[in-house]
């Protein structure tokens, strides 16, 4: 049995402390679930076999199982089960992969997958003291991004910041500042053009008054980007301009079997043709999508020469460029409608964003095969291959 992507929707992605900062993550998630179901009015919500949701934090208003919480807030019947997946930046792509396997195994006919993150509203946490009534101070730790409450047994080279890890990647592969800034400029220009041309009108629903991705800078330039100071090393190449920003947002996907088309009332957009996961040393996480995508392609039974579109989450320009170089694909087929450097990267929502965008890009370009890939902190990567021409098979 095969699994198919039937529909995709997301909120605009808001900047840290921006337009969506007043919205709880469970409400963001409930909003896209509601929007997705409105696009499939023939689907009886009671027939949804699973809700599988991605989230990287879980420490605050997500209430640990935000997938179940969002389903309830969206008004789904209480009999529809829901779970939350945490594979950090890859959480919602992992949710889609889990959902597709659930369908292919016959355990469900329809699965709602997606993810959410409010990096603005991520709480500070306090470790519990070893004894009651400690005499000293306790420090609150931010859960917004990166390592926290690190186990001292972890090797220090594994626990460097995400930015420092990518500075190491830059030195290893020789991707200079100028090339990174040019890649970032392309991301902003393509994302702005995509919005202006109406590409995102069918993929994005307004949230709390925000109608367009808040991080896009259509007026940026190489001169502006080159004038930014390095963020992680005094002599480094990574800046706030060539890395993805902290963001808030949610994304949702409707998955089903071929037999579910009549119940859903939609034609499928693409078949889930291959999945891949890969892991390596934690500080090398930016390179992990390379082999994850290679594995997904092998499982789909195709090679890179057949791929017509790639959606790679742009956590950093350097890691994106290193992956594109390693794959040997034409850079012009990668992120043709902008990427996370411009659009934003709310950790738990980005995987579903790249998969939904890929399905639409394949249709727009008349291509059959596409790859959605994402790097993941602590040394992992995920990838999914879509086949748009066998959508109705």
């Amino acid at each position: 049995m095969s699994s198919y992507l039937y529909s995709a929707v997301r909120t605009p992605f808001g900047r840290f402390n921006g337009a969506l900062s007043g919205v709880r993550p469970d409400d963001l998630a409930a909003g896209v679930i509601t929007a997705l179901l409105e696009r499939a009015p023939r689907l009886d919500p009671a027939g949804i076999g699973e809700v599988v949701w991605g989230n990287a934090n879980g420490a605050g208003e997500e209430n640990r199982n935000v997938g179940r919480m969002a389903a309830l807030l969206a008004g789904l019947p209480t009999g529809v089960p829901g779970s939350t997946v945490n594979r950090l930046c890859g959480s919602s792509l992992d949710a889609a992969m889990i959902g597709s396997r659930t369908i292919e195994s016959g355990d469900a006919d329809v699965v709602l997958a997606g993810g959410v993150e409010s990096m603005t509203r991520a709480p500070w946490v306090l470790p519990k003291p070893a004894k009651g009534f400690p005499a000293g101070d306790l420090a609150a730790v931010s859960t917004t991004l990166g390592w926290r409450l690190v186990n001292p047994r972890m090797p220090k080279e594994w626990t460097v910041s995400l930015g420092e890890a990518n500075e190491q990647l830059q030195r290893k592969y020789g991707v200079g500042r100028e090339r990174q800034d040019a890649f970032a400029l392309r991301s902003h220009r393509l994302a702005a053009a995509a919005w202006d041309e109406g590409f995102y009108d069918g993929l994005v629903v307004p949230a709390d008054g925000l109608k367009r991705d808040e991080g896009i800078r259509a007026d940026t330039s190489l001169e502006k980007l080159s004038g930014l100071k390095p963020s992680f090393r005094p002599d480094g190449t990574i800046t706030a301009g060539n890395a993805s920003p902290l963001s808030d947002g949610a994304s949702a996907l409707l998955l089903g079997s071929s037999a579910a088309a009549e119940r859903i009332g939609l034609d499928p957009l693409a078949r889930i043709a291959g999945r891949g996961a890969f892991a390596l040393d934690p500080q090398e996480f930016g390179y992990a999508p390379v082999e994850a995508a290679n594995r997904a392609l092998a499982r789909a039974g195709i090679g890179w020469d057949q791929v017509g579109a790639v959606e790679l989450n742009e956590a950093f320009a350097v890691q994106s460029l290193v992956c594109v170089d390693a794959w040997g694909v034409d850079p012009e087929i990668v992120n043709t409608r902008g990427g996370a450097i411009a659009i934003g990267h709310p950790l738990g929502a980005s995987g579903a964003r790249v998969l939904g965008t890929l399905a639409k890009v394949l249709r727009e370009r008349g291509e059959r095969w596409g790859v959605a890939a994402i790097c993941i902190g602590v040394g992992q990567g995920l990838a999914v291959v879509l086949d748009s021409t066998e959508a109705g098979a």
Side-chain angles (χ1 to χ4, degrees), residues 19-23 28 205-211:
L20 298 182
S21 61
V23 188
L28 284 172
V205 291
D208 206 41
L210 183 64
K211 297 180 179 179

Side-chain angles (χ1 to χ4, degrees), residues 133-376:
F133 309 109
D137 296 333
L138 286 176
V141 178
S142 173
T143 64
T144 299
L145 180 69
W147 295 86
R148 78 285 304 256
L149 304 178
V150 180
N151 191 312
R153 295 195 298 110
M154 281 280 188
K156 292 193 181 302
E157 63 269 22
W158 287 0
T159 62
V160 298
S161 72
L162 303 178
E164 169 58 26
N166 275 272
E167 287 288 8
Q168 293 178 17
L169 197 70
Q170 183 276 136
R171 290 200 171 182
K172 181 175 181 179
Y173 291 98
V175 179
R177 169 73 182 269
E178 184 176 348
R179 192 175 173 209
Q180 293 177 54
D181 287 346
F183 184 85
L185 178 62
R186 175 183 182 268
S187 184
H188 283 283
R189 287 181 172 172
L190 291 176
W195 272 105
D196 291 344
E197 295 165 12
F199 174 84
Y200 285 115
D201 291 351
L203 281 175
V204 180
V205 291
D208 206 41
L210 183 64
K211 297 180 179 179
R212 183 166 172 156
D213 297 312
E214 197 175 12
I216 299 170
R217 297 290 181 260
D219 61 348
T220 195
S221 65
L222 279 179
E223 290 74 22
K224 291 178 180 179
L225 290 168
S226 64
L228 297 174
K229 294 182 179 180
S231 299
F232 302 100
R233 292 183 180 183
D235 62 344
T237 63
I238 298 173
T239 71
N242 58 36
S244 60
L246 304 178
S247 308
D248 308 327
S251 303
L253 306 167
L254 186 61
L255 306 173
S257 67
S258 60
E262 185 174 347
R263 290 173 49 208
I264 292 172
L266 298 171
D267 292 327
L269 301 173
R271 178 174 64 91
I272 309 296
R275 296 171 292 256
F278 186 67
L280 36 59
D281 287 353
Q283 72 275 23
E284 297 178 2
F285 74 94
Y287 194 77
V290 173
E291 184 57 27
N294 290 341
R295 292 183 177 190
L297 287 169
R299 287 164 184 157
I302 64 166
W304 278 110
D305 59 329
Q306 295 169 268
V307 173
V310 177
E311 285 292 321
L312 171 63
N313 192 60
E314 299 168 356
F316 296 84
V318 60
Q319 64 83 206
S320 301
L321 288 164
V322 166
C323 290
V324 172
D325 289 349
W327 291 327
V329 297
D330 180 358
E332 293 305 310
I333 72 168
V334 179
N335 298 353
T336 58
R337 291 308 197 167
I341 289 173
I343 292 168
H345 179 21
L347 306 181
S350 289
R353 178 192 72 80
V354 296
L355 194 63
T357 302
L358 177 65
K360 185 165 185 179
V361 167
L362 288 171
R363 290 299 181 95
E364 176 189 61
R365 294 168 60 90
E367 298 286 352
R368 176 175 182 178
W369 299 102
V371 175
I374 195 164
C375 69
I376 302 165

